[in-house]
Amino acid sequence: MSGLWDQKGIPHNGWKFLDMEDLEDDRIFCQMCRGVKIRYAHSLRHPNYPETLVVGCECAAKMESDYTLAKSREKKFINILKRKKKWLSRNWRHSSNGNDYINTDGFNIVIFQKGSHWTGRLKNKDTECIYSLNYYNTQDDAKRAAFDRLIELKDHYFY
């Protein structure tokens, strides 16, 4: 190993995951091993180290001492990115009121115009309607926001 793995005073385990980002074409070298260029950046923090490190999946697995967690997290993240890319081109239907809607993942998602802006609501059979508190300039922006909220709700409440 090399990079920070070989330096004294750098914790090798006990790191906690903070966030993940798709760097796309702006790939960087893993800040822990400094030997691998990464696209999917895992940000990790340690209570005994002053900086957040941005690392690849393999180093994240070692730093968290959980070899399946980092890999499954990255796989889930990639799947969400793929779904988001196709979200607008999915088969959105039109309600009798003329609003675009889609039924997916146990949710009914409706996008509608309010004045000159767009907003939406998500409804799961087990929950109340969740209306967006935000307004968007375009219907597509409202649909993208609905996707983000869907993923957030699925992660937090249902899975």
Side-chain angles (χ1 to χ4, degrees):
M1 292 197 193
S2 60
L4 295 181
W5 288 113
D6 294 336
Q7 291 187 17
K8 291 184 180 181
I10 307 294
H12 289 183
N13 53 34
W15 291 79
K16 300 294 179 204
F17 173 78
L18 298 175
D19 195 18
M20 186 176 291
E21 181 181 359
D22 179 3
L23 302 176
E24 297 181 14
D25 294 332
D26 296 328
R27 296 174 190 204
I28 62 168
F29 281 99
C30 170
Q31 291 180 329
M32 190 64 162
C33 71
R34 297 189 179 154
V36 176
K37 274 203 164 186
I38 58 172
R39 174 175 176 173
Y40 303 107
H42 301 241
S43 295
L44 276 71
R45 186 108 179 117
H46 194 283
N48 299 328
Y49 192 73
E51 299 174 34
T52 297
L53 293 183
V54 178
V55 301
C57 188
E58 294 296 322
C59 284
K62 293 174 188 169
M63 294 163 74
E64 293 178 89
S65 300
D66 191 330
Y67 294 91
T68 57
L69 179 63
K71 291 176 193 294
S72 66
R73 179 176 57 229
E74 184 170 287
K75 182 179 178 181
K76 181 179 177 183
F77 181 76
I78 292 168
N79 286 338
I80 289 170
L81 290 175
K82 287 177 182 177
R83 284 186 70 191
K84 189 171 189 172
K85 196 173 199 177
K86 297 175 185 176
W87 183 248
L88 295 179
S89 63
R90 294 219 24 209
N91 187 25
W92 288 81
R93 297 165 55 190
H94 301 288
S95 71
S96 57
N97 293 336
N99 299 319
D100 279 8
Y101 75 95
I102 193 166
N103 296 315
T104 185
D105 298 280
F107 285 87
N108 170 258
I109 302 169
V110 180
I111 304 300
F112 54 93
Q113 199 163 11
K114 197 157 195 175
S116 62
H117 291 90
W118 294 88
T119 191
R121 71 133 177 91
L122 287 80
K123 184 174 185 330
N124 178 285
K125 65 180 179 173
D126 299 326
T127 63
E128 303 174 17
C129 287
I130 301 168
Y131 286 89
S132 173
L133 299 176
N134 298 314
Y135 295 96
Y136 302 91
N137 291 328
T138 69
Q139 185 180 40
D140 285 352
D141 287 346
K143 287 180 180 180
R144 286 185 196 95
F147 177 84
D148 292 341
R149 185 70 170 135
L150 169 69
I151 297 304
E152 180 184 305
L153 288 169
K154 283 180 56 179
D155 281 349
H156 190 265
Y157 295 109
F158 302 107
Y159 297 95

